[in-house]
């Protein structure tokens, strides 16, 4: 099984920031496999890298996302990918979001990355609870793309804007994964 703690610590180059954000705590939490802590640091980090106005109000307006420096978003993303063996990260979620099966349908997306669960009645589907005792899965047993969490309490605009960030147009994020040979 993949163990993030066996990976070498991140280099200075892997921790680059244009906004002065300290990515060491994120890298440390991810390397320790503490995905719940890493998830919270990611949310706090997104607020920091989104700028002064976001820091003052303690959340990111969706209109601010496009101004997040590519350097910082890329650093955050590469750390998630490295320490989750490519299972978690915004780029992973974005690929799922853009699949022909999902096509940007938030409900289908939530099902695919396991942000929903069946209620106690055994029939009704609902979003996992985040506050109090979180019902999300903070380990590598979670579905591909399960983390990081992005609040949709104010709607899905923030998530959609993260997926539309100019960073993702760069070649690094658009490499075609080799298709597995068909088994006949």
């Amino acid at each position: 099984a993949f163990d993030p703690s066996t990976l070498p610590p991140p280099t200075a180059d892997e921790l680059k920031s244009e906004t002065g954000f300290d990515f060491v705590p994120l890298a440390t939490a991810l390397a320790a496999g503490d995905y719940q802590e890493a998830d919270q640091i990611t949310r706090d980090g997104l607020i920091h890298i989104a700028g002064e106005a976001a820091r003052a109000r303690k959340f990111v307006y969706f209109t601010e996302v496009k101004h997040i420096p590519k350097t910082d978003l890329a650093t955050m993303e590469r750390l998630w990918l490295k320490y989750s063996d490519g299972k978690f990260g915004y780029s992973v979620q974005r690929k799922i979001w853009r699949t022909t099966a999902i096509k940007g349908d938030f409900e289908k997306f939530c099902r695919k990355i396991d942000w929903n669960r069946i209620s106690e009645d055994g029939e009704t589907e609902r979003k996992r609870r985040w506050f109090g005792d979180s019902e999300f899965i903070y380990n590598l047993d979670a579905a591909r793309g399960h983390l990081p969490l992005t609040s949709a309490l104010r709607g899905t605009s923030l998530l959609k804007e993260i997926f539309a960030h100019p960073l993702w147009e760069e070649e690094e994020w658009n490499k075609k994964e080799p298709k597995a040979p068909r088994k006949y």
Side-chain angles (χ1 to χ4, degrees):
F2 176 77
D3 178 0
S5 67
T6 62
L7 296 174
T11 62
D13 204 43
E14 288 177 300
L15 298 169
K16 276 196 299 214
S17 172
E18 281 178 38
T19 64
F21 186 71
D22 179 5
F23 281 105
V24 171
L26 176 61
T28 303
L30 286 166
D34 188 348
Y35 297 110
Q36 188 162 9
E37 178 67 11
D39 186 56
Q40 184 60 54
I41 294 169
T42 298
R43 264 190 306 290
D44 295 343
L46 211 53
I47 292 167
H48 181 92
I49 68 179
E52 268 182 55
R55 288 194 288 272
R57 88 174 84 78
K58 296 185 173 39
F59 67 88
V60 180
Y61 278 142
F62 72 93
T63 54
E64 294 167 318
V65 172
K66 63 180 170 281
H67 304 296
I68 290 174
K70 289 179 182 178
T71 302
D72 290 70
L73 192 56
T75 295
M76 193 176 271
E77 187 63 14
R78 287 185 198 113
L79 289 171
W80 271 100
L81 291 171
K82 175 179 179 176
Y83 292 109
S84 71
D85 200 23
K87 191 166 193 177
F88 301 141
Y90 295 123
S91 64
V92 177
Q93 292 173 344
R94 180 178 181 267
K95 278 183 184 142
I96 293 166
W97 180 258
R98 293 168 53 120
T99 59
T100 50
I102 308 296
K103 287 193 197 108
D105 179 312
F106 187 66
E107 286 310 313
K108 288 179 183 173
F109 176 74
C110 288
R111 275 183 214 112
K112 182 73 178 169
I113 64 170
D114 199 22
W115 282 4
N116 288 354
R117 69 177 301 167
I118 302 299
S119 286
E120 288 65 30
D121 67 11
E123 292 179 21
T124 318
E125 194 176 27
R126 65 167 174 79
K127 299 285 169 279
R128 288 181 181 273
R129 283 192 205 96
W130 193 342
F131 299 102
D133 288 332
S134 177
E135 295 176 337
F136 288 89
I137 302 159
Y138 296 101
N139 61 53
L140 292 170
D141 294 334
R144 184 172 177 74
H146 190 69
L147 299 172
L149 304 178
T150 302
S151 174
L153 288 174
R154 294 184 192 91
T156 58
S157 298
L158 178 60
L159 194 64
K160 288 175 183 170
E161 285 301 311
I162 290 170
F163 295 162
H165 193 280
L167 172 69
W168 312 123
E169 299 309 314
E170 294 183 359
E171 189 181 340
E172 174 182 354
W173 311 104
N174 288 290
K175 293 182 184 125
K176 294 278 185 230
E177 291 170 24
K179 288 198 176 359
R182 287 195 175 181
K183 293 189 171 86
Y184 292 100

